[in-house]
Amino acid sequence: MALAITGARLDGNEIGLRVADGRIDELGADVEPQAGDEVIDGSGLALIPGLVNAHTHAAMTLFRGYADDLPLMEWLQRYIWPAEQRLEREDVYWGTRLACLEMARSGTIRFWDHYWKHAATARAVKDAGLRAVVGALLIDDNDPDKSPKLLAKARRALDEIEEAGEGAVRPALAPHAIYTVSEPSLRGIAEISEERDVPIEIHLSETEQEVLDCIAETGLRPAHYLDRTGALGPRTLLAHCVWLDQSEIELIVERGATMVTNPVANQKLAVGGVFPYAAARAAGAQVGLGTDGAGSNNSLDLLDDVKAFALIQKHIAGDPAAVTAAEAWEIATGQRAKLIGGTAPAVGAPADFALARLDSPGLALGALDAGLVYAADASAIRLTVVGGQVVYRQGDRGALDEVLGHARERAARLGLVAG
Ligand SMILES: [Zn+2]
């Protein structure tokens, strides 16, 4: 059954929309539903592009509210990494299902993930009806001797993700960071990325300590070091990018890599700096927005983070025009980075979009993009559609109770909440 929407608003006009084979087949003032269509009354709703969460660790919904308010390295080393030693596939599956529900409720249609038990993540994304780039998390403790084993795992993981995701998921390679993955492994990962045409997702320049350590060990700043390994290219997505200097920004732009800012997680973990957006924009950088995992955010509602991004950039620049609402919205919907791949609703585009309530307080008056960036939260989202399938309908709890039940059980098993 094809999906049809009637009477929705797009750019101030009333439009209809029909979906065929997961794509927007017809869109415009005269589009009418056909016999047999599933018809959604779009009156009072704005058709908006879906949001793209360009950096997260979805299964970390299980860690929400566990070990908050600690510095990054203490948080990772004393709490997160030990608990992650106990992870099972079903933990990751149910944590990711919960993340998918939360993201769909706030209009997110696609996300970039890296985490353990990658096949369970891919299976959860497929079952939830969302789309994702799922990276196999790769760590060799910066030990070159472990590199051959890690690279064999990386190759296997790509097949496992592809198989489990059944078309909903694009596999990727996710070396954790330059301080947890050795240089031979980064070189090998770059080769596999090229050979298989898959993205590389990596945390880069999140803390100043990472920069100082990299200079001490290699004589280079992180982006230059990553470039030396061959892993900085057009398929590379760099999360955080807080401490980049001008030469690194220029190099990243020259290599065609994408920068992803995570303003809420950076502020919560107090990394001490702010993503240099003004310099990145001036250099013509491709930029996306991510929440990071629920352990360090703690929300996966990208509508919160787009506001946080716009505000911190204006504040640090001392200039309210440092980023406009329209620009921030394009970044949050993945339209300012080719690799991230967000699309605005158009004929031929994937039928991935949301319908936002024009009767909600935040969106009822004034410009829509400013409303979405500065005033709206998830309660303004009425419906989220991925590939022509409704994945979230406001007021319908859907699988939420079942998923929450499993997620609570898994978090208790891991000792993250009381059982
Ligand atoms: Zn992260």
Side-chain angles (χ1 to χ4, degrees):
M1 193 162 58
L3 183 75
I5 292 166
T6 59
R9 309 289 297 184
L10 178 65
D11 301 328
N13 304 309
E14 193 173 307
I15 53 96
L17 175 153
R18 286 194 77 244
V19 172
D21 298 326
R23 295 193 168 266
I24 299 176
D25 192 42
E26 296 175 71
L27 177 69
D30 307 324
V31 176
E32 298 282 343
Q34 293 180 14
D37 283 355
E38 178 195 353
V39 182
I40 288 167
D41 179 3
S43 32
L45 302 171
L47 179 65
I48 62 171
L51 293 126
V52 182
N53 189 347
H55 177 67
T56 192
H57 313 284
M60 291 191 82
T61 51
L62 301 184
F63 290 79
R64 184 173 1 234
Y66 169 72
D68 286 294
D69 312 323
L70 293 166
L72 174 64
M73 280 303 149
E74 188 186 347
W75 176 71
L76 283 175
Q77 289 167 353
R78 285 193 51 196
Y79 296 92
I80 302 300
W81 288 344
E84 286 180 341
Q85 297 295 317
R86 304 192 289 274
L87 275 176
E88 293 177 355
R89 273 181 307 208
E90 288 306 283
D91 300 327
V92 170
Y93 177 82
W94 289 108
T96 305
R97 285 291 305 271
L98 180 56
C100 288
L101 281 170
E102 185 180 351
M103 286 192 269
R105 289 167 81 89
S106 44
T108 295
I109 47 104
R110 176 202 295 261
F111 61 98
W112 285 66
D113 195 82
H114 34 129
Y115 206 54
W116 305 108
K117 317 285 181 198
H118 43 260
T121 305
R123 185 160 55 90
V125 173
K126 176 200 64 178
D127 291 350
L130 265 65
R131 300 187 201 269
V133 176
V134 174
L137 183 51
L138 303 169
I139 291 181
D140 67 7
D141 306 319
N142 210 357
D143 177 356
D145 291 345
K146 294 182 182 170
S147 185
K149 203 174 155 199
L150 188 77
L151 295 175
K153 177 192 162 181
R155 288 177 189 281
R156 258 194 333 270
L158 293 176
D159 296 330
E160 290 161 1
I161 293 166
E162 198 143 35
E163 199 178 312
E166 291 181 22
V169 165
R170 183 177 184 200
L173 298 157
H176 170 262
I178 54 170
Y179 56 91
T180 45
V181 183
S182 67
E183 187 164 0
S185 286
L186 289 170
R187 286 184 188 281
I189 288 164
E191 282 166 23
I192 299 170
S193 162
E194 169 114 37
E195 200 181 290
R196 300 276 300 255
D197 189 23
V198 293
I200 297 173
E201 318 173 52
I202 186 167
H203 298 100
L204 193 84
S205 213
E206 182 173 4
T207 63
E208 193 174 23
Q209 194 59 47
E210 175 186 340
V211 179
L212 298 174
D213 290 348
C214 187
I215 293 170
E217 283 165 34
T218 70
L220 297 169
R221 294 183 66 90
H224 290 281
Y225 167 67
L226 190 66
D227 190 49
R228 183 171 91 184
T229 70
L232 185 66
R235 292 181 211 84
T236 309
L237 183 138
L238 308 164
H240 298 299
C241 299
V242 172
W243 293 93
L244 298 178
D245 75 0
Q246 187 62 28
S247 74
E248 291 179 286
I249 292 170
E250 282 165 16
L251 176 68
I252 290 166
V253 171
E254 202 178 306
R255 295 288 183 263
T258 297
M259 304 177 197
V260 174
T261 179
N262 302 276
V264 174
N266 292 158
Q267 289 177 77
K268 182 168 181 251
L269 290 166
V271 298
V274 175
F275 169 61
Y277 177 67
R281 178 170 68 167
Q286 312 207 48
V287 176
L289 178 70
T291 56
D292 215 342
S296 63
N297 184 304
N298 298 357
S299 163
L300 301 180
D301 181 349
L302 208 58
L303 291 168
D304 283 348
D305 297 54
V306 68
K307 179 172 181 175
F309 162 66
L311 297 193
I312 191 95
Q313 292 299 338
K314 290 166 188 288
H315 182 64
I316 195 132
D319 176 9
V323 54
T324 66
E327 192 179 336
W329 182 246
E330 283 186 5
I331 289 171
T333 54
Q335 297 181 70
R336 288 276 181 133
K338 216 168 118 206
L339 181 67
I340 292 172
T343 50
V347 171
D352 299 353
F353 50 80
L355 291 169
R357 300 181 62 141
L358 294 170
D359 65 352
S360 59
L363 300 184
L365 305 168
L368 182 62
D369 49 15
L372 289 164
V373 171
Y374 302 130
D377 61 17
S379 67
I381 303 297
R382 175 76 182 84
L383 199 83
T384 304
V385 173
V386 178
Q389 305 292 320
V390 176
V391 294
Y392 167 67
R393 204 183 290 265
Q394 195 171 46
D396 178 356
R397 289 183 67 79
L400 184 59
D401 293 315
E402 183 203 353
V403 170
L404 274 177
H406 285 285
R408 278 196 195 101
E409 217 172 86
R410 304 313 300 191
R413 195 194 73 75
L414 288 164
L416 306 174
V417 297

